[in-house]
Amino acid sequence: MNKKCLLVDGSSLLYRAYFALPPMDADGVPTQAVHGFLLMLFKALELSKADYCCAAFDEKTPTFRHTMYEDYKANRPPAPEDLLPQFDIIKEVLKSMNLGAISLSGYEADDLLGTISKQLSEKDFVVDLLTGDRDALQLVNDKVHLLFTKKGITEIVHFTPDEVKAVYSVSPEQVTDWKGLMGDTSDNIPGIPGVGEKTSIKLLSEYGTLEEVLKNADKIKGKLGEKVRANKEQARLSKVLATIHTDAPVDYDIQNWEVKNLSDGEQTLKRYQLNTIIDKIKRLEKPEEEETITPAQITFTIIDKNIKNALKALTDEPCALVIADDAISISQKSLNYKIPLMFGQTSLFDTGDATNAGEAIKEVFSVLKMPLIVHDAKSLLHKADSFSAVHPNIHWDSMLAAYLIDPQQKSYALSALGSHDSAGLYSLYLTQKQTLQRLGIMSLFKDIELPLSHVLYQMEVSGFKVDTGVLQSLG
């Protein structure tokens, strides 16, 4: 079986983490970017199951691209002051966990990822690239895949060559041609003025490469043809600027990046008060045997009528319930049901015609007498009131559990916790139970969870506004 290496665009991830999370500190030392970086890294390690891992960082010195084009990345503001020291901290943390942390003067992190991924794939390694930079799409091939951080620190999208083509309508080999035509505002790469994403895709679908587009510029009609003919050299320069180098003179020994002694970093993590990360390392190194649900295991049974009969297979054990704008989903172990709340292409809630949705909610609440696993029980109680439904029997509120586990998280929305439906919520419930038990605060959660859900609900019914600030004051 081929060995696998996870290569991380460290600069990209640290910036994303900084802006995704609220300020955090350890005795005055800023740490929120480090915290978010490590959350994404460990999620990627769980997905990738890599044997080796290294993060590459940009240097402060100009690169060869700045020499070629003085305005390269000139539109970017300077890094926030409290982010700068976190670069050194994350490198220290990575090295303490026996993972790689490298950089090379004159080159960007992308160039190191490109060089190392090419060298490793030629040695029959499989490589996963973790980054939020679309430039890395050009590196994707049969042995090099992309884990793209799409949203905040919670959503990672996997790209193979076919998936790149399906999502962006260009192949990995065409990414630099694409950037040459449309430019890249994030890097201040000019491209051809007036040629956007759709137009560049159309040109590449017809001509294949930037060079062929420019070669056939006289055949392109109208204003578009004029723009192409007037900006040939700028397009060529833009393609060069967007091309990741795969021959950087980087020196490394992959054996120094083996993912096997992450817990060696525990003392460093404790010094920066990153206790949540210590818990994640323990889970990564010693996975729990308790049942979990993974996306590959999930198949929903669609219920479009006779809800009561359809749900007879459910037992008296805890059951996860999620009411979204377009569907109600219900999960209990291997049972997963979905009740669509749609009319044509429009959600009933969005149109204001909530009659059918309301009837479905009332019937579901009347059927589900077992203990319910929910997210934001307070809102669910309000929803029951709005449809004159009986109040559900709440067993677990994953929003309050999430707050108790990590009171410094920026968002406690269900989507921010990586769960979008009842199957995801059920899996989250199992994970939260394990975490609360490991942290030794399960009894605290049981003492406050049900009373607090109802107290917050009653406060709002009485006219008080309850938000995360109230939760933090209670915490």
Side-chain angles (χ1 to χ4, degrees), residues 34 38 41-42 53 88-101 256-272 274 277-278 281 285:
V34 174
L38 293 171
L41 175 65
F42 284 107
C53 178
D88 288 335
I89 294 172
I90 192 61
K91 292 174 186 177
E92 178 189 356
V93 169
L94 290 171
K95 290 176 181 177
S96 74
M97 295 189 295
N98 304 298
L99 303 180
N256 293 331
W257 305 341
E258 194 167 1
V259 183
K260 65 177 183 179
N261 293 311
L262 300 176
S263 56
D264 287 355
E266 185 168 337
Q267 290 306 313
T268 303
L269 292 167
K270 283 182 177 179
R271 188 164 72 252
Y272 293 110
L274 298 167
I277 303 303
I278 295 172
I281 289 175
E285 293 188 334

Side-chain angles (χ1 to χ4, degrees), residues 94-286:
L94 290 171
K95 290 176 181 177
S96 74
M97 295 189 295
N98 304 298
L99 303 180
I102 61 174
S103 61
L104 183 63
S105 180
Y107 291 86
E108 296 181 52
D110 279 351
D111 300 310
L112 305 188
L113 300 186
T115 299
I116 297 170
S117 63
K118 180 182 178 184
Q119 292 173 353
L120 291 180
S121 62
E122 289 173 349
K123 296 176 182 177
D124 288 330
F125 277 77
V126 174
V127 179
D128 281 338
L129 303 174
L130 178 63
T131 180
D133 190 342
R134 288 200 304 182
D135 284 349
L137 292 167
Q138 66 190 269
L139 301 174
V140 175
N141 57 46
D142 290 339
K143 289 186 177 180
V144 179
H145 294 178
L146 177 63
L147 300 178
F148 185 71
T149 53
K150 185 178 180 182
K151 182 180 179 181
I153 63 169
T154 61
E155 188 173 349
I156 294 177
V157 182
H158 179 267
F159 281 103
T160 63
D162 289 343
E163 288 162 344
V164 173
K165 182 71 172 179
V167 173
Y168 294 106
S169 301
V170 295
S171 67
E173 294 80 10
Q174 291 177 308
V175 168
T176 54
D177 302 292
W178 189 35
K179 294 290 184 81
L181 288 167
M182 70 175 182
D184 187 338
T185 54
S186 66
D187 289 338
N188 206 38
I189 296 175
I192 297 175
V195 174
E197 188 166 324
K198 290 183 179 179
T199 302
S200 59
I201 289 172
K202 183 179 177 181
L203 288 171
L204 291 175
S205 66
E206 185 171 355
Y207 296 106
T209 66
L210 172 67
E211 288 72 23
E212 285 299 311
V213 171
L214 301 182
K215 184 177 178 180
N216 291 277
D218 291 338
K219 298 178 183 178
I220 301 173
K221 298 179 180 179
K223 293 288 186 182
L224 177 59
E226 293 177 14
K227 292 174 184 175
V228 172
R229 290 188 288 273
N231 292 280
K232 287 185 176 182
E233 291 308 311
Q234 187 162 286
R236 292 189 180 99
L237 172 63
S238 296
K239 178 175 179 176
V240 172
L241 292 172
T243 299
I244 293 174
H245 278 221
T246 57
D247 57 357
V250 57
D251 184 31
Y252 63 95
D253 181 354
I254 193 172
Q255 298 306 320
N256 293 331
W257 305 341
E258 194 167 1
V259 183
K260 65 177 183 179
N261 293 311
L262 300 176
S263 56
D264 287 355
E266 185 168 337
Q267 290 306 313
T268 303
L269 292 167
K270 283 182 177 179
R271 188 164 72 252
Y272 293 110
Q273 300 173 17
L274 298 167
N275 297 320
T276 303
I277 303 303
I278 295 172
D279 182 62
K280 287 186 177 295
I281 289 175
K282 291 176 181 176
R283 264 193 287 159
L284 196 67
E285 293 188 334
K286 296 180 179 179

Side-chain angles (χ1 to χ4, degrees), residues 436-447:
L436 289 169
Q437 287 165 351
R438 270 195 306 273
L439 295 175
I441 54 176
M442 178 62 84
S443 59
L444 174 62
F445 176 72
K446 287 182 177 179
D447 286 342

Side-chain angles (χ1 to χ4, degrees), residues 217-413:
D218 291 338
K219 298 178 183 178
I220 301 173
K221 298 179 180 179
K223 293 288 186 182
L224 177 59
E226 293 177 14
K227 292 174 184 175
V228 172
R229 290 188 288 273
N231 292 280
K232 287 185 176 182
E233 291 308 311
Q234 187 162 286
R236 292 189 180 99
L237 172 63
S238 296
K239 178 175 179 176
V240 172
L241 292 172
T243 299
I244 293 174
H245 278 221
T246 57
D247 57 357
V250 57
D251 184 31
Y252 63 95
D253 181 354
I254 193 172
Q255 298 306 320
N256 293 331
W257 305 341
E258 194 167 1
V259 183
K260 65 177 183 179
N261 293 311
L262 300 176
S263 56
D264 287 355
E266 185 168 337
Q267 290 306 313
T268 303
L269 292 167
K270 283 182 177 179
R271 188 164 72 252
Y272 293 110
Q273 300 173 17
L274 298 167
N275 297 320
T276 303
I277 303 303
I278 295 172
D279 182 62
K280 287 186 177 295
I281 289 175
K282 291 176 181 176
R283 264 193 287 159
L284 196 67
E285 293 188 334
K286 296 180 179 179
E288 297 288 338
E289 297 298 324
E290 191 168 342
E291 175 189 6
T292 58
I293 294 177
T294 61
Q297 297 171 304
I298 297 168
T299 302
F300 279 94
T301 298
I302 304 300
I303 302 173
D304 53 11
K305 57 185 177 180
N306 207 340
I307 295 171
K308 189 171 293 186
N309 283 342
L311 298 181
K312 281 184 176 179
L314 295 171
T315 68
D316 292 334
E317 295 185 30
C319 169
L321 170 70
V322 172
I323 300 178
D325 285 353
D326 60 350
I328 299 172
S329 57
I330 301 164
S331 295
Q332 188 183 70
K333 291 193 171 180
S334 60
L335 298 174
N336 299 285
Y337 299 100
K338 187 164 286 186
I339 305 167
L341 301 176
M342 302 287 285
F343 181 79
Q345 296 300 312
T346 306
S347 164
L348 293 172
F349 288 118
D350 291 342
T351 62
D353 178 11
T355 304
N356 292 341
E359 290 304 314
I361 289 171
K362 283 195 284 186
E363 187 165 0
V364 164
F365 278 17
S366 69
V367 173
L368 300 183
K369 302 295 186 182
M370 70 286 293
L372 293 185
I373 302 154
V374 302
H375 188 80
D376 190 1
K378 170 176 63 70
S379 294
L380 191 65
L381 293 170
H382 282 298
K383 194 178 289 290
D385 284 347
S386 68
F387 292 114
S388 301
V390 296
H391 278 191
N393 174 17
I394 297 170
H395 169 71
W396 190 275
D397 187 342
S398 61
M399 175 181 278
L400 294 181
Y403 177 77
L404 201 56
I405 290 167
D406 184 2
Q408 291 185 301
Q409 187 158 311
K410 182 178 181 181
S411 172
Y412 295 96

Side-chain angles (χ1 to χ4, degrees), residues 415-430:
S415 59
L417 301 172
S419 307
H420 302 279
D421 52 34
S422 59
L425 176 58
Y426 191 85
S427 179
L428 177 64
Y429 158 69
L430 296 176

Side-chain angles (χ1 to χ4, degrees), residues 37-53:
F37 180 107
L38 293 171
L39 288 177
M40 285 187 281
L41 175 65
F42 284 107
K43 182 174 182 180
L45 282 171
E46 288 175 336
L47 289 171
S48 175
K49 305 203 182 317
D51 303 289
Y52 305 91
C53 178

